Amino acid sequence: MRIEDYALIGDMQSAALVARDGSIDWLCLPRFDSPACFAALLGNERNGHWWLGPTGRKPATRRRYRPDTLILESEWDTPTGTVRVIDFMPPRDRNPDVVRIVEGVSGTVEMSTQLRVRFDYGRIVPWVRRHNGHLQAIGGPDSVWLHSPVPLKGGDYAHRATFKVSEGERLPFVFTWHPSHEPMPPQIECENQLDETESFWAEWVAKCTYSGPYRDAVVRSLITLKGLTYAPTGGIVAAATTSLPEDLGGVRNWDYRFCWLRDATLTLDALISSGYLEEAADWRGWLLRAIAGRPQDLQIMYGVAGERRLPELMLDWLDGYEGSRPVRIGNEAVKQLQLDVYGEVMNCLFTSRSRGLWPDDRAWTIQRQLLDYVEDHWDEPDEGLWEVRGPRRHFVHSKVMCWVALDRAVKYVEQFGRVGPVDKWRRLRDAIHAEVCDKGFDARRNTFTQSYGSSELDAALLMIPLVGFLPIDDPRVTGTVAAIEKELMSDGFVLRYPLAADNDVDGLPGGEGAFLACSFWLVEVMAMQGRKEEAKELFERLLALRNDVGLLAEEYDPRYGRLVGNFPQAFSHVPLVHAARALS
């Protein structure tokens, strides 16, 4: 299946990807970052999957989410009738469950299913037994049960069944994980869980304050972002997957199942602007726990519970998505210096407070410590927003976000009465501003550049007016936007930065697609410039890149006309929400 052929279901602690043909090819339990028990997405079916659909295995005729929910419905029209499969994960009580309900819509349809459980990313073939008519697979610390009225027969390290469903019939299948040392968990009642899950999402969506012309797209993005939150701690993962390639067949394959401070703050900004303050409070609590300690120990990302060690490993037994190797788990970028993160954290906390989040003295104490670090390190080179694995540089975007950190600190004092060395912060803020305008601007070309002394452009420069560093009508902003439109557009979409043999900015071979967030940033900027029709046209072309259930990956590759990168990607859905608001 192509990346865009998948749909997401989840319980706000983990998530599964369901293919258009009815196969669950990716599922990590019990957390987003746990080892996968279905890893066919990054290998083949022998690495674990669960297929359920009409015999003959064809793509669904149509599928959709139930309105305003994360409940997936896939339908197949066959010569003998129509059948529907309802897939969802109930918001978790104790154990994670994946529920699949087969519903006869008309006529009688022959169905088949095949289950291959493989723990540890497809490496461990479990021991499987039957107990009171149910299947249990156990291997090391993991145990799963399959509860079903349909008996499955084992063979070739898989379990299969063929059965028929007629109009009006509903047959439930429940896949439940628990630690292998614990007894079998209670079996859930599927229909009740379906009703409760639908009610949960309906009540959550009802809080949304957006009412513009793009409501369906905005709500679907907000649901997706909520689905990427880790409910027990308030952490927010960047994506539900690892190693889906930015370049098909290439090495640009990263694990995104962690909580980047940047991605989380931007996600919260979208949620807060849409009326969701509870998530902001939960994330602030997660943040204060995760970064507690010395400010110089701040990391750009953490595990969903605040873990700091995220070692990068390669899984050599997996062939990779469409041969894109290596398959990685963990992320070595955790060790990088990315100075822009301080600005994003300060901006998010300021926005949360401005929109009504109650004050927290401990939060302000930690913010003061982060600002001390910015004062001492803002003038250093770093790896920047794009996590380059080449040499550190003085990235203009990083300096701009250091300015943002100090600017929001000043506003905290001015608007909320917080105590701090505001005069010193103002002086340093002005000094950073002056240096960026001097060293980061190419007067000959009338554009800001990617880094001091470079000639390359960077789509992150679009953030200059969005964060208030310069007004939208400043000639330097106008020139930068025009240069990006001229030099970084590919088939009508914005690239992050130029990739060429003589440009070693990211230190990696191969190309990549258009990073979707960058094009959404351009929509916002165009709208601010008063170019509403151009902005609307670009926005609607971006919406057309979503798959049939409204999801976006990290990038779109015009070379292949396909979505690429991890999926679904928070960093794509966040600016969609902001762009829709800018147009509304």
Side-chain angles (χ1 to χ4, degrees), residues 263-281:
D263 296 54
T265 57
L266 296 173
T267 297
L268 281 172
D269 202 21
L271 289 167
I272 293 166
S273 68
S274 302
Y276 295 100
L277 268 182
E278 182 178 343
E279 284 73 13

Side-chain angles (χ1 to χ4, degrees), residues 29 50 69 79 92 110 120 124 155 194 199 210 233 240 252 308 338 370 378 392 401 407 409 478 540 576:
L29 293 173
W50 180 12
T69 75
R92 196 177 303 183
E110 183 179 87
D120 194 22
I124 296 176
L194 177 61
S199 296
Y210 177 83
T233 66
R252 297 170 180 265
R308 299 192 178 197
Q338 297 176 18
L370 297 182
W378 71 270
R392 287 184 175 180
M401 295 311 295
D407 180 72
T478 304
E540 293 182 352
L576 184 157

Side-chain angles (χ1 to χ4, degrees), residues 435-448:
E435 180 178 296
V436 169
C437 292
D438 177 35
K439 296 183 178 180
F441 185 74
D442 184 339
R444 181 180 61 83
R445 296 164 61 206
N446 190 33
T447 180
F448 285 96

Side-chain angles (χ1 to χ4, degrees), residues 62 76-84 103-109 165-169:
R62 57 193 162 270
W76 287 263
D77 294 333
T78 76
T80 62
T82 297
V83 65
R84 177 183 300 128
E103 178 183 12
V105 178
S106 66
T108 298
V109 179
V165 61
S166 299
E167 181 177 348
E169 288 186 289

